[in-house]
Structure formats: C-alpha cells, structure tokens
C-alpha cells in the first residue's frame, strides 16, 4: 500500500512541476548494466557502462533575434563480454555541434546545424574516424498556437551519404501544455 501512495505522490509532484526544459545548459549521465544474465540470474561477467556529458552554450543577438548554440558533447561505452576477446574495451565519441537559428519574419525561421564528430575504440578517437552530419529545419507559424516544421537531416557514415526528411509541428494546446511531434 505504501508503494502505491509514494508513486501517486511522486506523480502529482512531477505533474505540478511542469519541468520540461527547452534548453539544458549542462548535462551528464551514466547508464550501467549489472554483470548478470537476465534469463539465468547468475553472474556472467557481461556488462556495459555508458557515460555522456554535454554543454549547450547559447549566444543571442538582440538586433535580429538570431541565436547561435554551441553544443559539444562526449560519449563513452565500456563493454565487457565473455568469450568475445576481440572487442575493444571501450568505444568513444566526441562531437562539436554548432547551430544557428535565424528569424526571417514573424512567421518564418530556419535552424541550421553542423555536427562534426569523431568516433573511435580504445584510444584511437582521432585516427581516420571523422563523421560529418547536419540538419536544416524551416518553421512556419501558421497561427500563434500552431507551427509547421519541415527539414532534412544528413549524415555521412561508413562512406555512405544518409538523408532523412524531417516533418513536425509545435502546437500550444493551452497555456500550460504543448504538443511537439
């Protein structure tokens, strides 16, 4: 009974906080798996740990309301799997994302992101492991409460150019709730 009460109280507290940030200045996280087999519930020696950290550094330009956001981030995966000794002990990644958001009128704005990234195993992060990505997203504000978004994402991985269309909306349902998709 007490678990249900605590869960209910936590739900109402979280709901009252309205805590969806639009911009996280700094973030860090760790995800770790135990070294046990899920099915057999015994220690196998298999485990992984994932670490990530990042910054978002916005620079605002008051004259035309443009924004430049620098977003460097780093990731690392530590992997331990029995019977697979050829795997690297860890994988890592470093990205230096830069984005520009420019308003052209009260109805139109464009966001452009460039994402240079280096990936590697063990200590070979900068040895021919460069990957370039980016995106462009145009937004059209149809009404004060509704915005259409259309764009294109690009990434070059494994010597192949990859393009992905982006479509979405930003809909203010009421003064508290927004629907993003």
């Amino acid at each position: 009974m007490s678990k249900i009460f605590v869960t209910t109280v936590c739900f109402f507290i979280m709901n009252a906080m309205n805590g969806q940030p639009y911009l996280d200045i700094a973030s860090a996280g760790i995800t770790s798996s135990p070294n046990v087999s899920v099915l057999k519930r015994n220690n196998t020696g298999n485990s992984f740990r994932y670490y990530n950290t990042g910054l978002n550094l916005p620079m605002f330009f008051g004259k035309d309301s443009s924004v430049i956001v620098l977003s460097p981030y780093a990731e690392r995966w530590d992997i331990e799997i029995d019977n697979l000794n050829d795997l690297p002990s860890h994988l890592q990644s470093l990205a230096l994302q830069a984005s520009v958001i420019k308003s052209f009128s009260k109805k139109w704005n464009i966001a452009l992101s460039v994402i240079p990234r280096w990936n590697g195993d063990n200590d070979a992060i900068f040895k021919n492991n460069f990957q370039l990505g980016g995106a462009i997203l145009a937004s059209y504000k149809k009404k004060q409460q509704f915005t259409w978004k259309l764009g294109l994402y690009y990434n070059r991985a494994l010597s192949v150019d990859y393009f992905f269309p982006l479509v979405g909306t930003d809909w203010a349902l009421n003064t508290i709730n927004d629907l993003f998709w």
Side-chain angles (χ1 to χ4, degrees):
M1 182 68 178
S2 65
K3 288 182 182 179
I4 294 172
F5 176 74
V6 170
T7 303
T8 305
V9 169
C10 289
F11 172 77
F12 283 112
I13 290 171
M14 295 299 286
N15 192 33
M17 291 174 69
N18 295 319
Q20 176 62 43
Y22 287 103
L23 179 65
D24 289 329
I25 300 297
S27 64
I30 298 172
T31 303
S32 181
S33 75
N35 61 352
V36 291
S37 168
V38 174
L39 299 176
K40 297 179 184 175
R41 303 215 182 256
N42 60 347
N43 189 334
T44 63
N46 298 337
S47 68
F48 81 92
R49 283 168 302 288
Y50 170 70
Y51 309 91
N52 67 334
T53 186
L55 294 172
N56 287 304
L57 308 169
M59 294 175 275
F60 300 96
F61 298 95
K63 191 171 188 177
D64 65 352
S65 70
S66 296
V67 180
I68 295 176
V69 182
L70 301 177
S71 303
Y73 63 92
E75 303 171 312
R76 178 179 165 131
W77 296 264
D78 290 339
I79 305 163
E80 296 174 13
I81 299 178
D82 285 349
N83 304 324
L84 292 176
N85 297 329
D86 293 341
L87 287 178
S89 64
H90 64 272
L91 303 170
Q92 54 197 357
S93 176
L94 174 67
L96 304 174
Q97 179 177 335
S99 302
V100 175
I101 303 168
K102 171 99 173 118
S103 293
F104 291 99
S105 68
K106 291 183 179 182
K107 292 193 175 263
W108 284 98
N109 71 41
I110 290 188
L112 175 66
S113 292
V114 177
I115 311 165
R117 182 178 178 132
W118 294 265
N119 303 301
D121 57 356
N122 295 334
D123 294 322
I125 191 167
F126 293 112
K127 294 182 181 175
N128 298 322
N129 294 313
F130 180 73
Q131 181 179 9
L132 181 62
I136 186 166
L137 185 68
S139 297
Y140 173 72
K141 187 176 278 194
K142 185 172 181 170
K143 297 185 224 176
Q144 185 64 28
Q145 297 85 10
F146 192 83
T147 303
W148 283 105
K149 298 182 179 201
L150 182 66
L152 186 66
Y153 170 79
Y154 165 78
N155 194 357
R156 181 162 178 88
L158 302 173
S159 300
V160 176
D161 291 323
Y162 173 73
F163 293 92
F164 189 80
L166 304 171
V167 178
T169 64
D170 181 358
W171 182 15
L173 300 173
N174 53 41
T175 57
I176 296 173
N177 298 307
D178 287 333
L179 176 64
F180 304 98
W181 67 269

